[in-house]
Amino acid sequence: MAKKKAAGASSKMVYYFGKTKTEGQGEGKQLLGGKGVNLAEMTRIGLPVPPGFTITTACCDSYYKNGKQLPKGLMDEVNEAVAILEKELDKKFGDDENPLLVSVRSGAAVSMPGMMNTILNLGLNDAATEGLAKATDNPRFAYDAYRRLINMYGDVVMGIDHEEFEHAFDKIKTKYKVDLDTDVPAEGLKELCEAYKAVFKKHGGEDFPQDPIHQLQLAIEAVFGSWNTERAVRYREIENIRGLLGTAVNVQSMVYGNMGDDSGTGVAFTRDPSSGQNKFFGEFLINAQGEDVVAGIRTPLPVIEMKKWNKAVHAELIAIKDKLESHYKDVQDIEFTIEKGKLYMLQTRDGKRTGIAAVKIAVDMVKEGLIDEKTAVLRIPAGDLTQCLLPSFIPAAKKKANVLATGLPASPGAAVGQLAFTAAEAKARAEAGESVLLIRKETSPEDVDGMHAAAGILTSTGGMTSHAAVVARGWGKCCVAGAGDVDINEKTKKITVNGKTYGVGDTLSLDGTSGEVMEGAVDRQEPKLGGDFGTVMEWADKYRTLGVRTNADTPEDSKRARAFGAEGIGLCRTEHMFFEGDRIGHMRAMILATTEEDRRKALAKLLPFQRKDFVGIFTAMKGLPVTVRLLDPPLHEFLPHEKAAQKEMAEALGISTAEVKKRAEQLHEMNPMLGHRGCRLSVTYPEILEMQVTAITEAAIACVNKKVDAKAEIMIPLVGTRAELSMLREKVEATIEATKAAKKFDGELDILIGTMIEIPRAALTADEVAQDADFFSFGTNDLTQMTFGYSRDDINTFLPDYLKQDILHGDPFQSLDTTGVGQLVEMGVKKGRSSKKGLKCGICGEHGGDPASIQFCHEVGLDYVSCSPFRVPIARLAAAQAALKK
Ligand code: ADP
Ligand code: MG
Ligand code: MG
């Protein structure tokens, strides 16, 4: 696909949109970028869009492939398109009477807010500026446009530090004794243009180019160049954006929001992207151009205020909003400009939203008849549901809290943390395990790393559509923006608010839903499920075919998971049950024992604990299956390794420290993950298996006697050969029978006996293994570890390099490697079912909660996935999406 498109680029590189013609219908974002596709689409449905043209992403691809040279013939096509534009608008590039000006805008297939460059007012030169002044009868505006161009062009194309221009601007402002940019008179701006040209020459080494086509060519190259800046690359890494050809370039005729008080520019969302409420939500600035809104230079007005300013424009904007929603059938994030009372649309795209908003919007749109249930289910990013499961502040605790300031509720959540004042600091401290809040006047794209790492973000300037707000919402991260009462001093790393000062060691709480900034750590509570969230879950259950279980080892976790909709336990690890309280003592006594008899004595003491745990879990999950895995880790994990702890243990057991030390040394293995663990323990010490199976059986009997429907499944880990399983299966069966006899129980228990498939050999010989298994559960953590030969605990020593160099596209322990490890899973299912028809198969590795892996599990015909309790709702939704995508 990509190949074909790249080849196609040599035929057509430029697509026009405007009154004359609108090309590229049917071409997708892959080729024209999101901005380009939607500019053409808006033109096509009759919205007021300034005409222009789009240079394809394939050109960007070939620019890089050709050693950073524009593809042959591109500038010819560009010149042709410019000629059409000139004719359509009756303006001319570089004209000293009525010049054509354009913006040069980046736009990839996936939106990357603020990551790449835009140049406005291109086409101005000394003569054209005079022309523009004449044509508009507004010299102030003409010089304002020119100084912006020299600045942006200098910054983007020549890499001149923005500060250099700022400095020159400050001098002019001082000279004219004004504070605001907008108060500088025309002659001041004219002087400023001269000063800017001098800055340009000094730092760029050449004169500001006077030939518009030359400007255009270099600007196109600069936009292509911005595709691979460090921050753009880093953004794609964080967002896991891959496989794109590059950015498209949109060249669009300019409209002017800076022509006076009847002009302006703004951005809006057709619904509230934070809560999802169906409320038009936007901001605009009067007499401003371009990114003045997003950059937070002046505080914008809420769009509702537009009614007072220009009623007709407001009404038109509302009508366009409705038209866009019904056309795209989704929330739109729009950019617009008003030139002398006339509204123009400059951009639309699907609006980024929080998980909470995604749920509400999807449910509302089904109610409004805009989309159907299936579309709604497919549209909510499954992973974003976590945000609906996040804690919130306890209202009573909030009432008591000391609210220091209230900013804008930019992105919901309840964040508690200590203060960090730079992105780098936030990142470092978060990595060290601290919960930090990133405190900035305003964030910029350079800050994304630290923003990502922080628990919450607080800014003192900037609106609901500022960089901080947009990016935080995209990630579902708590953000309070524009809290103007918070005075930030980056140098001293202190904030002053409400007369008090707080520094790096202090803790604050941020409520992203109300915008409140509170002193100290305010208590939080678990979320309430139901409402729209419940509706989405109902729909998901209606469409999915894959079962969803949970991994849980305690009655509390089991209950929580059940409340989240788990249909059973796919993995109950028993080793965690041996650490609590007295248990570890008996466990250690068992390990230290030198005879089978002593081992049995110690195990007998553990049995009642295990039985009690199982009764609790079976009861919590009554009626639903519970897969219990027999002891899995190597025994040395239960022994202390430091001298002092060994001594303490020896005293507790009434033996010598030397003995403890000796046994610990005996158990030491060079490579414990491939050592004496899993079913190998049961082969050597069958009494451990006996104790565990007895506990499970007795618990099941106890439940049946209480009329609790216990559905136990016993899972034998780390099997690599059928012989291991058949031998241990016999032992399990014999123990169940013996226990039933001892308890004089003659009812049915229906305990299934199965195995984990986590060693490649078991997958390869699954047809044999299946003959002794009632079920398979793919343990994809170990299976990944053994298939790649990567130690799960050590992978971080080399994974970053592997990701950077594109050897791996992600951490295979987080998202299943479907091409490699996935083949083993698929083969295991096929072979297993070839010898045992309808063999029940599930997955219990971490992958069971990862949407992409769930898609794969659905495709290879697993019966269920099992994941941690908090991921159960995500898995339900992802399973439905997998079923609907087919
Ligand atoms: P980004 O991708 O960073 O949002 P854009 O290409 O959308 O960058 O440009 C940023 C802003 O510049 C737009 O929101 C708009 O206000 C302004 N702009 C871009 N092109 C034009 C144009 N042709 N006329 C007027 N303003 C423009
Ligand atoms: Mg934009
Ligand atoms: Mg394992």
Side-chain angles (χ1 to χ4, degrees):
M1 186 77 169
K3 226 178 182 170
K4 202 176 130 219
K5 294 252 156 136
S10 55
S11 49
K12 187 163 180 58
M13 296 184 268
V14 172
Y15 290 74
Y16 190 87
F17 56 89
K19 282 216 171 59
T20 316
K21 59 179 177 180
T22 298
E23 300 176 311
Q25 182 148 29
E27 287 295 353
K29 291 180 181 179
Q30 283 302 331
L31 188 68
L32 298 179
K35 209 177 276 169
V37 160
N38 287 332
L39 284 170
E41 191 68 11
M42 285 197 293
T43 308
R44 223 172 268 127
I45 63 173
L47 298 186
V49 176
F53 54 89
T54 301
I55 301 169
T56 66
T57 58
C59 291
C60 183
D61 188 45
S62 79
Y63 171 79
Y64 281 105
K65 285 191 175 136
N66 292 335
K68 299 203 182 175
Q69 293 214 335
L70 294 182
K72 260 233 266 340
L74 174 62
M75 285 313 289
D76 296 338
E77 282 193 42
V78 166
N79 281 323
E80 277 169 41
V82 168
I84 303 175
L85 206 51
E86 288 179 330
K87 199 160 163 225
E88 185 170 319
L89 293 171
D90 195 22
K91 292 180 178 181
K92 271 212 153 3
F93 237 175
D95 197 29
D96 60 7
E97 279 189 7
N98 191 13
L100 168 70
L101 304 194
V102 296
S103 62
V104 179
R105 319 170 64 186
S106 61
V110 176
S111 112
M112 298 169 57
M115 284 293 139
M116 293 186 295
N117 297 320
T118 295
I119 299 175
L120 304 180
N121 309 329
L122 189 132
L124 278 178
N125 51 26
D126 295 351
T129 304
E130 297 298 335
L132 187 64
K134 243 191 283 165
T136 58
D137 196 20
N138 190 344
R140 191 191 180 283
F141 152 74
Y143 293 113
D144 187 51
Y146 197 23
R147 65 100 187 165
R148 286 175 193 261
L149 171 64
I150 302 169
N151 184 344
M152 273 185 269
Y153 190 93
D155 178 4
V156 173
V157 177
M158 312 297 286
I160 300 170
D161 195 345
H162 177 69
E163 284 296 306
E164 302 291 348
F165 292 108
E166 273 304 295
H167 192 63
F169 207 166
D170 286 342
K171 270 195 196 155
I172 298 285
K173 280 194 243 175
T174 314
K175 177 169 169 193
Y176 286 86
K177 302 197 175 66
V178 298
D179 280 338
L180 288 177
D181 299 8
T182 38
D183 291 341
V184 180
E187 62 272 28
L189 289 174
K190 190 172 181 179
E191 273 175 56
L192 184 62
C193 289
E194 291 306 315
Y196 271 16
K197 279 193 277 178
V199 168
F200 189 97
K201 180 153 194 188
K202 181 165 169 216
H203 298 277
E206 57 189 73
D207 284 319
F208 179 75
Q210 296 290 310
D211 173 9
I213 288 290
H214 175 77
Q215 290 176 3
L216 184 55
Q217 173 167 346
L218 289 190
I220 293 167
E221 289 178 27
V223 171
F224 285 160
S226 70
W227 175 250
N228 271 344
T229 57
E230 203 176 300
R231 68 183 204 211
V233 170
R234 185 76 193 108
Y235 184 85
R236 292 198 292 274
E237 262 172 39
I238 291 180
E239 297 282 304
N240 205 11
I241 299 168
R242 300 178 176 279
L244 299 185
L245 290 174
T247 179
V249 181
N250 301 289
V251 178
Q252 187 176 26
S253 53
M254 285 298 300
V255 288
Y256 310 103
N258 53 335
M259 280 189 111
D261 287 339
D262 54 355
S263 304
T265 184
V267 296
F269 286 84
T270 55
R271 301 186 187 208
D272 186 333
S274 188
S275 69
Q277 273 186 328
N278 190 358
K279 250 184 9 202
F280 190 46
F281 179 89
E283 291 165 334
F284 75 111
L285 267 179
I286 296 169
N287 196 12
Q289 188 174 50
E291 305 219 286
D292 293 356
V293 181
V294 183
I297 292 170
R298 279 186 279 150
T299 305
L301 299 170
V303 100
I304 187 89
E305 299 283 317
M306 193 185 274
K307 263 192 207 161
K308 292 182 216 153
W309 177 67
N310 188 330
K311 209 166 166 206
V313 167
H314 182 257
E316 193 186 356
L317 191 60
I318 298 289
I320 287 177
K321 168 208 101 158
D322 291 338
K323 187 162 184 179
L324 283 172
E325 271 207 356
S326 66
H327 181 75
Y328 287 101
K329 307 205 181 307
D330 200 354
V331 173
Q332 296 297 298
D333 166 359
I334 59 178
E335 298 178 358
F336 55 88
T337 280
I338 301 120
E339 176 183 313
K340 291 182 142 179
K342 167 134 183 53
L343 177 65
Y344 292 94
M345 297 304 297
L346 292 173
Q347 189 169 338
T348 189
R349 61 186 163 201
D350 292 346
K352 287 198 183 187
R353 64 207 80 173
T354 64
I356 290 160
V359 167
K360 172 148 180 65
I361 290 166
V363 172
D364 282 353
M365 286 193 164
V366 171
K367 281 189 210 149
E368 292 160 26
L370 219 49
I371 57 175
D372 60 15
E373 277 174 26
K374 290 181 184 175
T375 309
V377 164
L378 281 168
R379 186 175 282 172
I380 301 164
D384 289 358
L385 282 186
T386 344
Q387 294 162 33
C388 304
L389 310 174
L390 287 180
S392 58
F393 291 117
I394 299 174
K398 257 191 79 172
K399 256 197 194 138
K400 278 189 243 149
N402 180 13
V403 178
L404 299 173
T406 303
L408 300 168
S411 180
V416 175
Q418 297 189 325
L419 316 187
F421 291 83
T422 66
E425 181 194 344
K427 186 168 179 240
R429 286 169 59 194
E431 275 169 3
E434 231 183 289
S435 175
V436 295
L437 304 177
L438 179 63
I439 316 287
R440 306 285 288 162
K441 285 191 177 128
E442 167 59 312
T443 61
S444 72
E446 281 89 358
D447 294 328
V448 289
D449 262 356
M451 295 166 74
H452 197 245
I457 299 159
L458 171 65
T459 67
S460 58
T461 57
M464 290 294 280
T465 45
S466 62
H467 179 265
V470 171
V471 172
R473 276 199 296 275
W475 288 331
K477 186 159 301 251
C478 173
C479 175
V480 172
D485 292 343
V486 180
D487 185 25
I488 302 173
N489 189 332
E490 272 166 44
K491 283 217 180 87
T492 60
K493 299 197 172 203
K494 294 237 161 16
I495 59 169
T496 310
V497 54
N498 226 350
K500 282 202 205 168
T501 300
Y502 303 86
V504 284
D506 294 312
T507 297
L508 296 182
S509 299
L510 299 182
D511 188 334
T513 317
S514 66
E516 286 158 298
V517 182
M518 295 165 288
E519 189 176 42
V522 178
D523 285 340
R524 289 178 286 185
Q525 66 183 2
E526 298 298 325
K528 293 189 183 60
L529 306 174
D532 291 336
F533 177 83
T535 305
V536 168
M537 285 292 106
E538 258 171 51
W539 291 341
D541 291 348
K542 185 151 115 194
Y543 295 109
R544 75 186 158 94
T545 53
L546 200 58
V548 176
R549 295 195 189 183
T550 190
N551 298 350
D553 338 314
T554 62
E556 297 74 59
D557 270 359
S558 310
K559 272 183 212 143
R560 169 180 292 143
R562 208 178 166 141
F564 285 158
E567 298 161 306
I569 291 182
L571 175 63
C572 171
R573 299 178 173 92
T574 51
E575 54 269 25
H576 297 162
M577 300 173 173
F578 293 125
F579 282 99
E580 265 170 49
D582 303 341
R583 304 173 180 202
I584 185 72
H586 302 309
M587 186 68 184
R588 287 171 173 173
M590 189 277 289
I591 296 169
L592 266 271
T594 45
T595 64
E596 188 186 321
E597 202 193 331
D598 285 350
R599 261 196 305 278
R600 284 190 183 276
K601 265 191 211 148
L603 284 166
K605 295 208 177 107
L606 281 171
L607 190 139
F609 290 113
Q610 284 247 285
R611 187 178 50 218
K612 187 166 157 259
D613 290 339
F614 291 135
V615 170
I617 293 170
F618 292 159
T619 307
M621 297 306 285
K622 62 187 166 223
L624 300 177
V626 175
T627 308
V628 179
R629 180 177 70 181
L630 300 185
L631 192 65
D632 184 56
L635 294 182
H636 76 91
E637 283 193 9
F638 297 94
L639 293 186
H641 292 274
E642 284 90 52
K643 225 177 169 175
Q646 287 180 345
K647 186 157 169 263
E648 201 177 300
M649 171 178 162
E651 274 162 18
L653 294 179
I655 54 174
S656 71
T657 315
E659 239 173 300
V660 174
K661 201 168 155 242
K662 193 172 130 217
R663 186 69 179 136
E665 273 164 14
Q666 272 174 357
L667 288 172
H668 173 79
E669 292 173 316
M670 294 308 289
N671 200 342
M673 289 322 285
L674 299 177
H676 199 176
R677 57 174 285 228
C679 66
R680 299 159 203 171
L681 290 169
S682 299
V683 170
T684 320
Y685 308 115
E687 52 279 7
I688 300 180
L689 173 150
E690 275 172 37
M691 183 280 284
Q692 291 199 290
V693 174
T694 306
I696 295 167
T697 312
E698 287 183 359
I701 293 172
C703 286
V704 171
N705 289 341
K706 284 191 299 182
K707 302 246 178 309
V708 170
D709 181 15
K711 284 196 158 53
E713 303 181 342
I714 294 175
M715 179 154 76
I716 297 172
L718 220 71
V719 159
T721 69
R722 179 185 174 188
E724 286 168 316
L725 184 61
S726 44
M727 185 196 125
L728 295 174
R729 179 181 182 107
E730 254 175 53
K731 287 215 162 74
V732 171
E733 283 173 343
T735 308
I736 294 174
E737 286 316 310
T739 310
K740 282 168 80 174
K743 292 272 161 196
K744 301 202 171 54
F745 180 85
D746 51 11
E748 280 295 319
L749 287 181
D750 271 338
I751 299 176
L752 301 184
I753 303 167
T755 183
M756 264 174 109
I757 303 290
E758 52 187 333
I759 287 188
R761 193 183 187 283
L764 295 166
T765 58
D767 47 343
E768 294 177 10
V769 176
Q771 293 177 41
D772 287 305
D774 300 329
F775 63 89
F776 279 176
S777 176
F778 289 88
T780 46
N781 297 343
D782 268 310
L783 193 60
T784 298
Q785 177 158 265
M786 288 188 241
T787 302
F788 273 102
Y790 296 160
S791 157
R792 187 172 13 141
D793 305 309
D794 302 315
I795 187 169
N796 280 325
T797 52
F798 57 88
L799 184 65
D801 289 325
Y802 271 53
L803 293 176
K804 253 196 205 106
Q805 295 176 51
D806 246 354
I807 298 170
L808 291 178
H809 292 339
D811 179 349
F813 291 103
Q814 274 176 30
S815 199
L816 189 73
D817 158 47
T818 52
T819 31
V821 180
Q823 267 192 55
L824 287 170
V825 174
E826 190 171 8
M827 177 191 295
V829 174
K830 277 209 182 106
K831 286 197 158 190
R833 287 183 183 155
S834 74
S835 63
K836 188 166 273 179
K837 216 170 156 253
L839 179 75
K840 187 160 67 162
C841 296
I843 179 177
C844 63
E846 293 303 311
H847 304 106
D850 166 62
S853 311
I854 291 169
Q855 165 91 32
F856 175 82
C857 293
H858 173 86
E859 283 163 11
V860 299
L862 291 189
D863 295 297
Y864 67 86
V865 297
S866 187
C867 56
S868 65
F870 272 105
R871 297 199 75 84
V872 167
I874 296 172
R876 286 161 74 193
L877 182 56
Q881 292 173 342
L884 290 173
K885 262 178 209 158
K886 272 201 155 171

